[in-house]
Amino acid sequence: MSKLRRFLSVTFGFAVLAGIAWLIWNIVLWVASLEPSYSGPTITAIVGFIGLIYAQWHSKSREIQQSHRPKKIEVYNGFFSILERFLKNPDEQKALEQGGEESLPEDLRDQFWQLNKGLIVWASPAVIKSWLHFRKVTTTGGNTLVAMDNVLKAIRKDLGNSNFGLQIGDSVKVFLRDPGEADREIKAEKNV
C-alpha cells in the first residue's frame, strides 16, 4: 500500500511540475508574440506580480515565525533550567548516565516530560534531532559536551541567531567552570 501511495505522490508531483512548466512556456510564447511596445510593460507587470506574491508569502512566513518565538523561548528556558540543575547537581547527572531517566527524582522527570512535549510542538527539526542525539550520547557514551554544543547551536539558529564564527564547543563553554575542559574533550575525540 505504501509503494502505491509513494508512486501516486511522485506521479502527482511530476504532473504538477509539468503543468507549471506548460503554463510558463505558454506565457513566454504569449509575451513573445506581443508587439515590442507591449512586451516590456507586460514583462514588468508579470515580474511585479510575482514579486508581490513572494513578498506577501515571505511576510506571512515571518509573521508566523515571530508569533511562535515566545513559545519557543519558554520551551528553551525549560531546557536551560534542566541544564542548570545538572550543572549544579553532578549527582543527578551521574544518576542519569548510569540509570537513565527513571533514576531521576520525580520533579526532574516531570521537567523532562514538559520539555519533550514543548520540543515536539515548538522546536525546529534540527533542535529535535540534536536533542535526541544528546539523549543518546548521555546514555550510551560519547562526547556529551559536543552533543550539548550542537543542541545549543540548533536552539540559537531556531531563534534566528547566527552561529557564524562559533567553533565546536564555544557555546557550551559558557556553562563550564573550566572552558578548557571542552577543548580537551574535543581534542581527545579527534585523536581517537
Side-chain angles (χ1 to χ4, degrees):
M1 184 68 176
S2 67
K3 288 184 181 182
L4 177 63
R5 185 177 299 165
R6 184 180 210 149
F7 172 76
L8 289 175
S9 66
V10 168
T11 304
F12 179 74
F14 280 127
V16 168
L17 287 175
I20 291 171
W22 176 83
L23 180 65
I24 290 171
W25 178 251
N26 281 319
I27 290 173
V28 168
L29 289 177
W30 174 69
V31 170
S33 71
L34 292 175
E35 291 182 28
S37 60
Y38 293 124
S39 62
T42 303
I43 292 172
T44 303
I46 291 172
V47 169
F49 181 70
I50 291 171
L52 178 66
I53 290 173
Y54 174 76
Q56 289 293 328
W57 170 80
H58 190 267
S59 174
K60 189 66 171 176
S61 175
R62 188 155 184 91
E63 185 179 307
I64 290 170
Q65 287 175 348
Q66 290 301 320
S67 71
H68 290 178
R69 188 176 168 86
K71 288 293 189 180
K72 288 182 179 199
I73 290 172
E74 182 181 325
V75 170
Y76 297 151
N77 278 334
F79 168 77
F80 287 115
S81 295
I82 292 172
L83 177 63
E84 180 181 11
R85 184 167 173 174
F86 277 124
L87 291 173
K88 289 182 177 178
N89 302 312
D91 293 336
E92 288 181 344
Q93 184 177 355
K94 288 178 186 174
L96 177 65
E97 291 171 357
Q98 293 171 352
E101 288 182 22
E102 295 78 28
S103 63
L104 296 173
E106 188 173 337
D107 65 318
L108 188 54
R109 282 188 305 216
D110 289 342
Q111 277 185 294
F112 268 112
W113 181 252
Q114 293 301 318
L115 175 65
N116 289 335
K117 286 188 338 186
L119 289 175
I120 289 170
V121 175
W122 299 107
S124 70
V127 173
I128 292 172
K129 286 182 179 187
S130 62
W131 171 246
L132 292 174
H133 177 72
F134 173 73
R135 288 180 58 186
K136 179 182 174 186
V137 167
T138 57
T139 56
T140 61
N143 194 327
T144 57
L145 291 179
V146 171
M148 175 57 68
D149 186 64
N150 291 335
V151 173
L152 295 171
K153 285 181 181 175
I155 288 172
R156 287 178 49 79
K157 184 177 180 186
D158 192 27
L159 292 175
N161 298 318
S162 172
N163 290 321
F164 181 77
L166 291 177
Q167 302 296 318
I168 296 173
D170 281 351
S171 58
V172 79
K173 287 178 188 178
V174 171
F175 294 102
L176 301 176
R177 286 186 206 130
D178 176 15
E181 179 184 351
D183 293 330
R184 289 188 293 276
E185 278 198 34
I186 292 166
K187 186 177 180 182
E189 185 177 47
K190 288 181 180 179
N191 292 333
V192 173

